[in-house]
Amino acid sequence: IGNSILFNLCVAYLGSFFFWALVVQYPEFQRRKLLRDNLSQQYQQFKESVIQLLLWSAVGTHDSQLPKKLCDHVQFKAFFDANGKQRWYDALNGLDNRSDLLQDLLFEMELLASEVNYVLNNVAIEDKRVHRFFKLLNENINRLKNSSVYTDDPVKYVSNFLWGILARWSFIDGQQQDDFLELMIKRV
């Protein structure tokens, strides 16, 4: 009698575990993967769109494949660091002279922030560091877009933010080898 009760309990636990994994865990895993992949694609699209706007601002017309090539931080730095950062300064001057390009940059940043918000609202992120990173990213983007502190010279603050992301430069730690935002996306 003891063996049959133990056997029945074990079968019930195994059945419950299998049912739980099939009905709860697998769909949650799929949903998390879908949102992570979508956020990663949105981030890649953000980088390409921002680089496209910076190129329009700096050099005007350019090769259509150049924004994809410049998504690599080494090539981005090499392109915009050339001649004592002259292209970077040309891009900033272009943003100063054409407010529509600056507004487009802020719109691209807002699109990234809304995608991050969507992920934060729909995925339970247990890692406090990842959660805090995405919250700070959203706060920084919202401050750049809405705060009166940055209205005196918005191009300066936006360009510092974008240089940090696109060139993987930290004003605290210096040159970074890893794309920290991409690493955080993978940990979602």
Side-chain angles (χ1 to χ4, degrees):
I1 290 181
N3 282 342
S4 68
I5 292 174
L6 185 62
F7 175 76
N8 288 339
L9 283 174
C10 289
V11 168
Y13 281 129
L14 284 174
S16 297
F17 175 76
F18 179 73
F19 185 72
W20 171 78
L22 189 64
V23 173
V24 176
Q25 276 304 105
Y26 182 71
E28 178 63 25
F29 173 78
Q30 290 294 89
R31 190 166 140 267
R32 183 180 292 253
K33 183 182 180 317
L34 175 73
L35 292 176
R36 182 178 46 243
D37 291 347
N38 194 35
L39 181 58
S40 183
Q41 288 174 348
Q42 180 66 34
Y43 176 55
Q44 184 64 29
Q45 185 178 354
F46 164 79
K47 289 194 303 186
E48 288 178 24
S49 298
V50 165
I51 290 170
Q52 175 99 15
L53 291 167
L54 290 171
L55 288 170
W56 281 340
S57 180
V59 296
T61 60
H62 56 275
D63 178 22
S64 63
Q65 295 302 313
L66 188 57
K68 285 185 190 232
K69 278 183 20 184
L70 295 181
C71 283
D72 176 36
H73 75 287
V74 174
Q75 291 187 22
F76 178 85
K77 278 191 74 171
F79 183 84
F80 281 103
D81 264 349
N83 297 330
K85 286 193 172 184
Q86 186 57 46
R87 284 190 180 138
W88 183 248
Y89 296 131
D90 289 343
L92 301 184
N93 289 333
L95 292 174
D96 252 345
N97 296 332
R98 290 190 52 196
S99 63
D100 60 324
L101 289 176
L102 180 60
Q103 292 304 315
D104 290 345
L105 278 176
L106 291 171
F107 179 71
E108 291 297 331
M109 292 166 57
E110 188 177 342
L111 286 175
L112 180 64
S114 68
E115 189 67 31
V116 167
N117 274 335
Y118 184 78
V119 169
L120 285 173
N121 290 331
N122 289 296
V123 173
I125 300 175
E126 289 85 21
D127 190 341
K128 290 180 183 179
R129 187 173 178 208
V130 173
H131 189 267
R132 184 69 187 146
F133 174 81
F134 284 125
K135 293 293 284 183
L136 284 173
L137 178 67
N138 274 343
E139 287 174 17
N140 286 335
I141 290 173
N142 285 328
R143 279 193 182 107
L144 287 172
K145 188 163 176 22
N146 300 316
S147 181
S148 63
V149 172
Y150 305 115
T151 55
D152 291 336
D153 191 6
V155 172
K156 173 183 166 185
Y157 296 104
V158 169
S159 67
N160 285 342
F161 177 78
L162 293 175
W163 185 264
I165 291 175
L166 298 172
R168 295 185 192 171
W169 176 259
S170 168
F171 291 100
I172 296 169
D173 300 325
Q175 185 64 50
Q176 305 293 309
Q177 291 306 314
D178 296 323
D179 188 342
F180 200 68
L181 188 54
E182 190 65 40
L183 291 175
M184 291 294 153
I185 290 171
K186 288 178 182 175
R187 291 175 62 180
V188 168

